[in-house]
Amino acid sequence: LQPPGERLVVTGRAGWMGMGRGAGRSALGFWPTLAFLLCSFPAATSPCKILKCNSEFWSATSGSHAPASDDTPEFCAALRSYALCTRRTARTCRGDLAYHSAVHGIEDLMSQHNCSKDGPTSQPRLRTLPPAGDSQERSDSPEICHYEKSFHKHSATPNYTHCGLFGDPHLRTFTDRFQTCKVQGAWPLIDNNYLNVQVTNTPVLPGSAATATSKLTIIFKNFQECVDQKVYQAEMDELPAAFVDGSKNGGDKHGANSLKITEKVSGQHVEIQAKYIGTTIVVRQVGRYLTFAVRMPEEVVNAVEDWDSQGLYLCLRGCPLNQQIDFQAFHTNTEGTGAHRLAAASPAPTAPETFPYETAVAKCKEKLPVEDLYYQACVFDLLTTGDVNFTLAAYYALEDVKMLHSNKDKLHLYERTQDLPGRAAAGLPLAPQPLLGALILLLALLLVFC
């Protein structure tokens, strides 16, 4: 991985696929996803919309809306629309590999199919799920595509874990550690053998250290006869109900329906079911920013080939020590001081229009009557951002815990996890600090007298 916050590029068998005149639409259909991998996880501040162009072209040339032949006028119209989309975003895509790959690919296809640059264009249409009876909707999917049936046929129900990220941002790990982190820029939440999740956090206000999630990318890796590789991407004010290629399930394989996207509330709440790995993901947009929650079996959580390289897998290891904020100490210092707190205790600049402490407490109490860490996170966010939507972010994060966490006794957490140096990255259990001090003193005495 490159340093957090830098542009992250995932390498693989990606790039423009050279195609002869008879290559056909099937080869072309894979290209938008492959081109995306050339430039995965672009910086959240980039307004380049090449992925949107890719998705619209894929939607116009596949599924029930596909032209009968690649040499039809409809196919050329789709190419012209694709080219127009790239021209509109050209100014903001300089230096973007996916953009330049798309431009050269369009030129090649226009030439191969004798398409004129002048002519009608097609309107982008979202690809729809096939009707009942289609191979993508079969109920007789292979057993391997249902996690509980395939991996635990003769054993107890798997142990499910939960991870969530919300607000300024607050992280609840798979091991129920609760942390508030800076983590500005791009950071990996999950990185295992089955999927990758990366978030990008940006400043809530110019010059402020308070950040929130503005972009989310999920890559579901190709899995046996169940699903093709699929990429989901959400940004501020853009919470799609489909993968970047326009599809809503796992592709053309026999068990494709074991991966599905469902839109719960338009533009606000999306749920992704990946039954082949027993995983449920909830993505929300609350106000301007995104929240993330996942339910995943421990077996999948720990399916990591190179354990030593997983130091920045935040859902598993937590935030690095130098990225953590002690918001409970801030909460204590702020209580009774009105709208502002002492500068010496401030982990982040106060927003220009913040709430008085009493008002923040009252607003959070309305949605979060239990004074647990979600309530405290709510108060912290209102005091650092001045954005009342962060109240809802904490509320929905707790609602997602209630839906996704397998242990109902652990819904509410009351003590923030504070890592010791050297333990945050290793994911080691925390030792009580007084006991640790006593052990060190005992060792020193033994060295002196023995």
Side-chain angles (χ1 to χ4, degrees), residues 175 177 179 307 316-318 417-431:
T175 54
R177 289 187 288 166
Q179 299 168 342
W307 192 264
L316 185 62
R317 300 296 183 90
T417 306
Q418 185 172 7
D419 288 332
L420 298 175
R423 291 180 174 266
L428 299 174
L430 303 176

Side-chain angles (χ1 to χ4, degrees), residues 2 6-12 14 32-44 50-51 96-98 186 196 198 200 215 217-219 229-233 244:
Q2 294 183 357
E6 298 295 324
R7 186 183 185 90
L8 178 62
V9 179
V10 177
T11 58
T33 300
L34 293 173
F36 169 81
L37 289 178
L38 269 173
C39 205
S40 252
F41 311 130
I50 189 60
L51 297 182
D96 190 297
L97 294 178
N196 302 102
Q198 177 161 311
T200 303
K215 190 167 191 174
T217 304
I218 306 172
I219 299 179
Q229 180 164 279
K230 290 288 177 176
V231 179
Y232 179 79
Q233 190 169 66
V244 296

Side-chain angles (χ1 to χ4, degrees), residues 125-164:
R125 289 173 290 191
L126 274 180
R127 186 175 160 198
T128 56
L129 286 172
D134 189 280
S135 62
Q136 288 188 331
E137 287 293 311
R138 291 177 181 173
S139 59
D140 60 337
S141 296
E143 193 172 87
I144 190 68
C145 299
H146 193 292
Y147 179 79
E148 290 191 11
K149 290 181 180 178
S150 61
F151 292 148
H152 299 276
K153 190 173 183 180
H154 303 292
S155 61
T157 303
N159 184 31
Y160 288 95
T161 59
H162 162 75
C163 177

Side-chain angles (χ1 to χ4, degrees), residues 16-30:
W16 177 256
M17 299 175 61
M19 293 184 291
R21 185 167 171 76
R25 195 167 51 253
S26 60
L28 176 62
F30 287 105

Side-chain angles (χ1 to χ4, degrees), residues 205 351 353-355 381-388:
L205 296 163
E353 297 296 332
T354 56
F355 292 96
D381 289 351
L382 291 189
L383 293 172
T384 55
T385 69
D387 186 347
V388 72

Side-chain angles (χ1 to χ4, degrees), residues 298-361:
E298 279 187 349
E299 184 176 19
V300 177
V301 168
N302 296 311
V304 177
E305 290 181 2
D306 184 3
W307 192 264
D308 292 335
S309 69
Q310 299 303 308
L312 293 178
Y313 178 166
L314 299 187
C315 273
L316 185 62
R317 300 296 183 90
C319 298
L321 186 62
N322 63 359
Q323 293 293 320
Q324 295 181 32
I325 298 172
D326 188 352
F327 81 84
Q328 283 182 307
F330 157 75
H331 179 86
T332 302
N333 291 330
T334 307
E335 190 169 358
T337 63
H340 302 284
R341 58 194 181 277
L342 297 175
S346 174
T350 305
E353 297 296 332
T354 56
F355 292 96
Y357 176 78
E358 295 77 10
T359 304
V361 165

Side-chain angles (χ1 to χ4, degrees), residues 24-26 28 56-79 113 115 122-123 125:
R25 195 167 51 253
S26 60
L28 176 62
E56 289 179 353
F57 177 64
W58 165 257
S59 299
T61 58
S62 63
S64 60
H65 299 301
S69 167
D70 285 354
D71 292 321
T72 62
E74 290 84 0
F75 185 76
C76 289
L79 275 175
H113 298 282
C115 296
S122 62
Q123 294 296 317
R125 289 173 290 191

